[in-house]
Amino acid sequence: MIAFVLCTMQHLSHGQYNESKFDSTMMNKMKIEIWSDVVCPFCYIGKRKFELGLEQFSHKDSVEVVWKSFQLNPDLKTDTTISIYQSLADQKGWTLEYTRNTTKHVTDMASEVGLHYDFDKTIVANTFNAHRLIHLAKTKGKQSEAEELLFKSYFIDGKNIDDDSILEAVGVEIGIDSAETAQMLSGDLFKNEVEQDIYEAQQVGVRGVPFFVLDHKYALSGAQQPEAFLSALNQAWDEFIKRNSTTKLEVKEGAVCSPDEGCD
């Protein structure tokens, strides 16, 4: 049985949950918000499984996906001198052997959806600036592309995603001028947006990521199977259509004036 978490976000005030307004191109699209951290292994796996479910969804072109920032360890200091195994062992109080076995299990899970994690190359990094880049990418309509590249950089390529040059390179790859990314990184641009996402997560009740919210009403927590995402999409869509449908008028034809044909 697929379990849905019924969220009460529709009852939150705008001060608590800052729902961004649809522009004219999004008026008929159902919004899906995904809270995620780019150093969360299940978030990358969840992204793939969600995409597999979405690919089977009949109305996939009528969905707007919005990525929301979440930090699993906001106080983590970027450190290129220690392995991810040592960092995790220190944080969790695990032995190195247990840590390696755990990451091996995660690596096996990732491989099932075509992702080839390489924790031997992973660099311990704080994600705040990476989330700022994702918000910059959002202004260009490239948010999902930024998420994908940052996940790949961290889990597969072993790049330091808290390094300015790496973030600038990610930006360039998705079409953002390196000077624009550098300017953002040199100041506080998108700092408030990242903090707002994290605050909203607290208000909604997000305790772990990935966390998927469909149409401000239904939520799924974790890297669930594609079938679960597809079922949730269908259920949310049915209610979205009922709520947004317009009444079709029955028109009796009579004498009218029109711009093209004049008055008949």
Side-chain angles (χ1 to χ4, degrees):
M1 178 181 292
I2 297 169
F4 299 106
V5 181
L6 183 61
C7 294
T8 58
M9 289 181 291
Q10 63 270 32
H11 301 306
L12 297 177
S13 71
H14 290 291
Q16 293 175 305
Y17 184 64
N18 184 24
E19 177 187 344
S20 58
K21 295 181 179 179
F22 290 136
D23 60 28
S24 60
T25 64
M26 297 295 180
M27 287 298 291
N28 297 316
K29 295 200 172 187
M30 182 176 73
K31 181 178 286 188
I32 299 173
E33 294 159 303
I34 308 171
W35 272 269
S36 167
D37 197 358
V38 289
V39 296
C40 164
F42 296 119
C43 290
Y44 201 5
I45 296 169
K47 180 177 184 294
R48 277 292 182 274
K49 291 185 175 183
F50 168 74
E51 289 167 345
L52 289 170
L54 182 63
E55 187 61 31
Q56 302 174 63
F57 182 51
S58 302
H59 309 285
K60 61 185 177 183
D61 293 333
S62 297
V63 165
E64 176 197 10
V65 176
V66 177
W67 290 90
K68 311 283 278 187
S69 300
F70 190 94
Q71 282 196 288
L72 290 169
N73 192 348
D75 298 323
L76 180 70
K77 303 296 183 184
T78 299
D79 190 342
T80 62
T81 66
I82 65 173
S83 70
I84 190 65
Y85 306 114
Q86 187 64 60
S87 178
L88 285 171
D90 291 344
Q91 291 175 51
K92 305 291 187 181
W94 297 342
T95 65
L96 280 174
E97 181 182 7
Y98 180 81
T99 303
R100 288 182 179 276
N101 289 337
T102 298
T103 54
K104 174 63 167 60
H105 174 66
V106 173
T107 299
D108 291 343
M109 288 182 61
S111 67
E112 293 175 0
V113 289
L115 299 173
H116 304 291
Y117 287 1
D118 189 346
F119 286 107
D120 288 346
K121 297 193 301 184
T122 298
I123 294 176
V124 177
N126 187 282
T127 61
F128 193 81
N129 284 332
H131 284 295
R132 292 171 64 206
L133 175 61
I134 293 167
H135 275 280
L136 172 60
K138 183 180 180 181
T139 68
K140 315 291 184 181
K142 296 287 187 177
Q143 197 182 30
S144 290
E145 291 86 345
E147 284 278 346
E148 178 66 27
L149 278 177
L150 286 165
F151 277 133
K152 182 176 181 293
S153 296
Y154 183 78
F155 286 107
I156 297 172
D157 298 335
K159 295 179 180 179
N160 181 358
I161 59 168
D162 193 30
D163 181 274
D164 287 4
S165 64
I166 297 299
L167 295 175
E168 289 172 27
V170 169
V172 168
E173 192 165 345
I174 61 174
I176 302 174
D177 189 272
S178 60
E180 187 172 0
T181 302
Q183 181 182 15
M184 176 204 71
L185 293 170
S186 68
D188 292 330
L189 286 173
F190 301 108
K191 176 177 181 289
N192 291 339
E193 285 81 352
V194 173
E195 292 176 345
Q196 176 65 32
D197 282 353
I198 293 170
Y199 175 72
E200 288 176 9
Q202 295 170 349
Q203 300 306 305
V204 170
V206 179
R207 295 294 177 263
V209 287
F211 195 83
F212 303 79
V213 176
L214 287 67
D215 194 30
H216 310 294
K217 188 170 184 180
Y218 290 100
L220 291 88
S221 178
Q224 299 201 27
Q225 294 302 318
E227 308 87 75
F229 287 116
L230 179 59
S231 179
L233 285 164
N234 283 323
Q235 182 170 348
W237 179 260
D238 287 344
E239 296 194 21
F240 172 78
I241 288 300
K242 289 177 183 177
R243 191 172 65 255
N244 292 279
S245 63
T246 57
T247 303
K248 186 175 181 180
L249 299 178
E250 294 185 11
V251 180
K252 292 185 176 181
E253 300 292 345
V256 297
C257 295
S258 69
D260 297 328
E261 300 178 4
C263 299
D264 294 332

